[in-house]
């Protein structure tokens, strides 16, 4: 009896300690998975926020530059419509809808553009929006029906949306409201995939307790209890016990919503009993079996624990948020019988697999975000080009070549009238070649006897679209770096068809470049981010072209020292919406 009492005490203490360790481990793993989910949601919502900021910029053209002519309104409509298509294509949104004043010509379009009076279809009124102007709002819009010509269906869908309403200070009327919509089921699938067990439920609520996304469609749009919402608001970052469940709460800073994971106590007890049962079996074996047999069995069981401990010891929350987890429990699913440790290993392996899937999803979303950022880089090229031309004009004036300076100023004015007239990111090859010829004529003033050029293009190729200001930096490089004293620099520009691409080559007979420098430029083009200190012009062109390529890089450069340089431009075959042959 004296020997049994300490054994019973040790057993009870071991049970309590093991239960606490296992419980904390399960909650920690679910918390980490929930944190990864919240990061994935934040990335998706951040894409919507980026798109909303971009739409705010596009829509300012309607407010700050009012148009009274039909032609001007149609130009702005086409500009905004093309940018909406680009945002939808880049980020896979369901809709980007704009509600405008009825006096605008395109407010009756009925696909992406609607009148402000039609806001009632979203359960909103202009009076409601007057209370919260000029700031982003997030909301669930259930039961939305899109025009049949757009969706091909009359079925209703539930949208998670960010929207913004704008009104001039001096006006009492709204100017416009735009909505960025994604399908609520897209987010619900992420919530369902993040749960390690069907009994573990993850859903999203707003600050009032309204459920805006839930894997169970019947619970969408319902309210959680007041007591539960009070618990959520007062425990935003740590697990808390509530009504026989553990609540894991994360606040989403982008949308202001709360991501709630409910872990039932029964789920925790079920998984912690695995370890507790193993300890009880080991104790019974110590009492009933001889010392040698107990040591043998204990060693056999502890070997699995050691392997699990070795794998789990390499798992750190703070060390794995930026890379794929290369962890795997050594367990075979082909065994006839799986003991509790094997089952726990399978649960751990499944958790690691889900974490890695969420991480890969985050990578894809981050790459999509970069596409929008690259479009903003081209704004730095125009000042660089203008600086070089003004330096040339200054040089002509300093040398007393006033006529040449005046000619350059005239061509420069024509050049900027052309590029400012074309407001879109994509223009036709015909317009891009016209810009290139104007630039060559500007340079011809300084190199009248040293510069010639020729343009050859395939039939009908001038109708295809190309990112604006693509050829000018390449031609400028040919002149600045390829012109040899006393020799004529000949530039050949050709436009050809590829299998699925358009190919434009800029070839010169200049000085070329050493192999080491060519390799350095190719390495710079291969980097993810554009180098802003070296090779800025070609890096910018390359990154912008890569947004319109079919799996091929934007630029390919070939050069040999003393034999000239060839730059080949690859981009997707694209036609304007209204182009007909």
């Amino acid at each position: 009896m004296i020997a049994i009492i300490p054994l019973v005490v040790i057993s009870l203490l071991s049970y309590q300690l093991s239960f606490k360790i296992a419980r904390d481990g399960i909650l920690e793993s679910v918390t980490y998975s929930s944190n990864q989910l919240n990061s994935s949601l934040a990335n998706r919502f951040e894409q919507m926020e980026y798109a909303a900021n971009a739409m705010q910029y596009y829509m300012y053209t309607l407010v700050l530059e009012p148009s009274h002519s039909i032609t001007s309104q149609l130009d702005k409509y086409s500009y905004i419509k093309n940018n909406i298509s680009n945002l939808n294509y880049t980020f896979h949104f369901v809709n980007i809808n704009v509600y405008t004043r009825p006096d605008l010509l395109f407010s009756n379009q009925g696909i992406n553009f609607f009148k402000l009076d039609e806001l009632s279809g979203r359960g909103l009124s202009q009076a409601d929006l007057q209370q919260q102007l000029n700031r982003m709002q997030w909301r669930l819009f259930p039961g939305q029906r899109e025009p049949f010509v757009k969706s091909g269906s009359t079925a209703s869908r539930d949208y998670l949306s960010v929207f913004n309403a704008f009104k001039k200070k001096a006006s009492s009327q709204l100017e416009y409201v735009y909505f960025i919509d994604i399908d609520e089921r897209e987010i619900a699938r992420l919530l369902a995939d993040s749960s390690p067990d069907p009994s573990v439920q993850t859903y999203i609520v707003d600050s009032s307790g309204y459920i805006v996304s839930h894997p169970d469609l019947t619970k969408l749009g319902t309210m959680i209890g007041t007591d539960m919402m009070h618990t959520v608001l007062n425990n935003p970052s740590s697990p808390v016990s509530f009504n026989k469940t553990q609540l894991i709460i994360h606040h989403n800073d982008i949308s202001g919503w709360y991501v709630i994971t409910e872990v039932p106590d029964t789920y925790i007890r079920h998984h912690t009993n695995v370890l507790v049962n193993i300890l009880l079996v080991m104790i019974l074996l110590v009492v009933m079996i001889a010392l040698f047999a107990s040591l043998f069995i204990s060693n056999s069981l502890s070997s699995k624990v050691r392997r699990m401990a070795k794998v789990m010891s390499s798992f750190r929350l703070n060390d794995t948020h930026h890379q794929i987890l290369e962890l795997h429990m050594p367990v075979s699913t082909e065994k006839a019988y799986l003991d509790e440790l094997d089952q726990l290993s399978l649960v751990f392996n499944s958790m690691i697999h889900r974490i890695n899937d969420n991480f890969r999803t985050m990578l894809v979303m981050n790459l999509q975000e970069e596409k929008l950022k690259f479009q903003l880089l081209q704004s730095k090229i125009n000042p660089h080009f203008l600086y070089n031309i003004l330096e040339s004009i200054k040089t002509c004036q300093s040398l007393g070549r006033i006529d040449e300076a005046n000619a350059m100023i005239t061509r420069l004015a024509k050049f900027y009238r052309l590029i400012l007239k074309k407001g879109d990111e994509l223009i036709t090859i015909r317009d891009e070649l016209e810009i290139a010829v104007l630039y060559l004529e500007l340079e011809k003033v300084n190199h009248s006897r040293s510069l010639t050029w020729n343009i050859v293009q395939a039939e009908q190729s001038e109708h295809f679209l190309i990112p604006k200001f693509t050829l000018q930096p390449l031609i400028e490089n040919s002149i600045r770096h390829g012109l040899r004293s006393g020799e004529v620099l000949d530039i050949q520009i050709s436009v050809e068809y590829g299998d699925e691409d358009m190919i434009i080559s800029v070839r010169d007979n200049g000085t070329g470049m050493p192999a080491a420098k060519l390799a350095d430029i190719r390495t710079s083009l291969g980097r993810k981010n554009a180098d802003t200190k070296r090779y800025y012009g070609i890096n910018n062109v390359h990154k912008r072209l890569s947004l319109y390529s079919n799996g091929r890089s934007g630029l390919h450069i070939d050069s040999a020292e003393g034999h000239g340089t060839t730059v080949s431009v690859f981009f997707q075959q694209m036609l304007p919406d209204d182009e007909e042959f």
Side-chain angles (χ1 to χ4, degrees):
M1 182 65 68
I2 296 177
I4 294 177
I5 292 177
L7 185 59
V8 172
V9 173
I10 293 174
S11 300
L12 291 175
L13 291 177
S14 299
Y15 177 88
Q16 293 294 331
L17 181 61
S18 299
F19 184 88
K20 184 179 185 305
I21 292 174
R23 176 182 178 277
D24 292 344
I26 291 173
L27 286 178
E28 186 177 358
S29 66
V30 176
T31 299
Y32 180 75
S33 180
S34 179
N35 186 57
Q36 292 288 90
L37 169 65
N38 189 44
S39 297
S40 298
L41 294 174
N43 276 284
R44 185 55 168 155
F45 294 155
E46 199 169 45
Q47 289 178 359
M48 298 174 67
E49 186 178 59
Y50 280 141
N53 287 330
M55 283 298 300
Q56 185 76 337
Y57 170 77
Y58 301 145
M59 294 302 299
Y60 272 157
T61 59
L62 291 174
V63 178
L64 302 180
E65 300 177 11
S67 303
H68 302 289
S69 69
I70 294 177
T71 301
S72 178
Q73 287 194 37
L74 289 176
D75 286 343
K76 291 182 178 180
Y77 161 72
S78 179
Y79 168 73
I80 297 173
K81 178 177 175 291
N82 287 338
N83 281 292
I84 287 176
S85 297
N86 286 338
L87 290 172
N88 274 330
Y89 175 80
T90 300
F91 294 114
H92 306 291
F93 298 138
V94 175
N95 288 313
I96 298 182
N97 289 339
V98 180
Y99 294 77
T100 63
R101 304 189 317 267
D103 59 302
L104 294 178
L105 182 64
F106 49 83
S107 63
N108 289 316
Q109 187 235 22
I111 297 178
N112 295 108
F113 293 86
F114 305 89
K115 296 179 180 179
L116 285 169
D117 295 340
E118 298 178 69
L119 281 170
S120 59
R122 287 188 176 257
L124 295 173
S125 67
Q126 296 189 46
D128 295 334
L129 295 172
Q130 292 276 4
Q131 306 301 318
Q132 296 179 327
L133 293 171
N134 305 333
R135 72 182 186 88
M136 293 185 193
Q137 302 177 61
W138 297 79
R139 186 177 296 183
L140 167 69
F141 289 97
Q144 295 298 302
R145 298 181 185 272
E146 293 297 325
F148 182 83
V149 68
K150 179 179 180 180
S151 64
S153 172
T154 59
S156 63
R157 301 170 71 179
D158 303 321
Y159 293 153
L160 293 178
S161 308
V162 57
F163 61 98
N164 195 359
F166 179 81
K167 179 180 75 69
K168 293 180 180 179
K169 290 185 178 179
S171 173
S172 61
Q173 181 183 6
L174 288 178
E175 296 290 333
Y176 60 81
V177 185
Y178 59 83
F179 295 80
I180 314 293
D181 300 327
I182 62 173
D183 193 343
E184 184 276 333
R185 289 293 90 187
E186 172 191 339
I187 302 302
R189 285 191 292 271
L190 286 177
L191 299 177
D193 292 342
S194 69
S195 297
D197 187 84
S199 64
V200 178
Q201 292 286 313
T202 303
Y203 52 92
I204 303 174
V205 301
D206 61 17
S207 59
S208 65
Y210 182 75
I211 298 179
V212 299
S213 185
H214 199 293
D216 185 352
L217 195 58
T218 61
K219 296 182 179 180
L220 186 66
T222 62
M223 301 288 292
I224 65 175
T226 304
D227 293 341
M228 184 176 179
M229 193 61 207
H230 178 76
T231 302
V232 169
L233 295 176
N234 288 278
N235 298 273
S237 61
S238 60
V240 59
S241 179
F242 180 83
N243 195 22
K244 297 182 180 181
T245 61
Q246 297 295 318
L247 299 182
I248 299 173
I249 306 160
H250 290 285
H251 181 255
N252 189 279
D253 295 331
I254 303 298
S255 62
W257 292 336
Y258 293 88
V259 181
I260 302 175
T261 300
E262 293 186 6
V263 185
D265 291 342
T266 55
Y267 170 82
I268 297 175
R269 284 196 299 270
H270 173 73
H271 287 79
T272 52
N273 284 340
V274 173
L275 289 176
V276 172
N277 290 338
I278 291 175
L279 290 175
L280 292 176
V281 169
M282 291 177 63
I283 293 173
L284 291 175
L285 288 174
V286 169
V287 174
M288 299 175 62
I289 303 175
L291 181 60
F292 177 79
S294 64
L295 289 176
F296 176 78
I297 297 175
S298 175
N299 182 67
S300 176
L301 292 175
S302 62
S303 63
K304 290 185 178 182
V305 176
R306 285 194 297 270
R307 288 198 300 269
M308 292 176 61
K310 184 177 180 180
V311 174
M312 288 187 172
S313 64
S314 60
F315 181 82
R316 297 288 185 273
L317 293 182
N318 293 332
D319 296 338
T320 57
H321 67 282
H322 63 285
Q323 61 186 353
I324 297 295
L325 299 176
E326 300 293 344
L327 300 177
H328 183 76
M329 289 290 189
V331 58
S332 174
T333 57
E334 298 178 357
K335 295 170 61 176
Y337 171 74
L338 296 176
D339 61 23
E340 289 82 354
L341 284 175
D342 291 333
Q343 293 175 4
L344 185 60
S345 297
L346 291 176
V347 171
F348 181 83
N349 290 339
S350 176
M351 180 193 71
I352 294 298
H353 177 73
R354 288 190 177 94
I355 290 174
N356 286 338
D357 285 345
N358 289 337
F359 181 78
R360 292 187 184 94
T361 301
M362 291 170 59
L363 286 180
V364 172
M365 291 180 177
N366 287 333
L367 288 175
Q368 291 174 345
E369 293 171 19
E370 289 297 324
K371 290 184 179 181
L372 188 60
K373 296 178 182 178
F374 286 145
Q375 294 176 359
L376 304 179
L377 289 176
Q378 69 163 336
S379 61
K380 297 182 180 179
I381 289 183
N382 289 358
H384 171 72
F385 161 73
L386 181 60
Y387 172 80
N388 290 338
I389 294 300
L390 292 178
E391 281 292 320
S392 299
I393 295 173
K394 178 182 177 182
T395 301
C396 289
Q397 291 177 334
S398 300
L399 297 176
R401 293 151 55 184
I402 304 302
D403 291 341
E404 293 182 4
N406 289 337
M408 292 181 72
I409 292 173
T410 300
R411 288 184 173 88
L412 181 62
K414 183 178 179 181
F415 177 86
Y416 269 95
R417 278 197 302 271
L418 180 60
I419 65 172
L420 292 175
K421 180 181 178 182
K422 305 294 181 181
D424 294 337
E425 160 67 11
L426 296 174
I427 62 175
T428 63
I429 292 178
R430 176 179 57 248
D431 292 336
E432 180 67 13
L433 289 175
E434 185 176 354
I435 293 174
V437 170
L438 274 173
Y439 175 74
L440 286 166
E441 290 176 350
L442 285 170
E443 291 290 354
K444 182 75 173 178
V445 175
N446 284 336
H447 309 288
S448 58
R449 299 180 181 178
S450 304
L451 179 61
T452 63
W453 65 85
N454 184 47
I455 299 176
V456 178
Q457 58 185 114
E459 185 178 359
Q460 300 294 337
S461 61
E462 69 273 9
H463 300 285
F464 288 90
L465 297 176
I466 184 176
K468 185 171 62 178
F469 232 59
T470 295
L471 298 181
Q472 185 277 329
L474 307 181
I475 297 172
E476 181 179 354
N477 283 343
S478 293
I479 297 173
R480 293 288 182 265
H481 304 294
L483 189 63
R484 290 182 284 200
S485 178
E487 296 186 14
V488 176
L489 178 67
D490 182 60
I491 298 177
Q492 297 290 326
I493 302 175
S494 64
V495 183
E496 303 172 316
Y497 293 103
D499 291 337
E500 297 182 356
D501 298 328
M502 295 301 298
I503 306 172
I504 301 181
S505 298
V506 179
R507 183 182 298 106
D508 66 62
N509 63 344
T511 59
M513 66 182 76
K517 183 175 182 181
L518 177 60
D520 188 34
I521 293 176
R522 287 174 174 173
T523 300
S524 177
L525 293 179
R527 295 193 181 101
K528 178 180 178 181
N529 297 318
D531 192 335
T532 58
K533 296 182 180 179
R534 301 185 308 153
Y535 318 125
Y536 177 78
I538 60 174
N539 266 295
N540 179 276
V541 172
H542 175 71
K543 293 302 181 183
R544 288 192 295 124
L545 286 171
S546 65
L547 301 176
Y548 306 96
S549 63
N550 289 323
R552 304 183 62 178
S553 298
L555 291 181
H556 291 282
I557 302 177
D558 292 301
S559 182
E561 190 169 9
H563 298 283
T565 299
T566 300
V567 180
S568 298
V569 178
F570 294 84
F571 56 95
Q572 184 178 350
Q573 293 181 4
M574 300 174 289
L575 285 170
D577 295 337
D578 57 351
E579 190 71 39
E580 296 183 359
F581 289 96

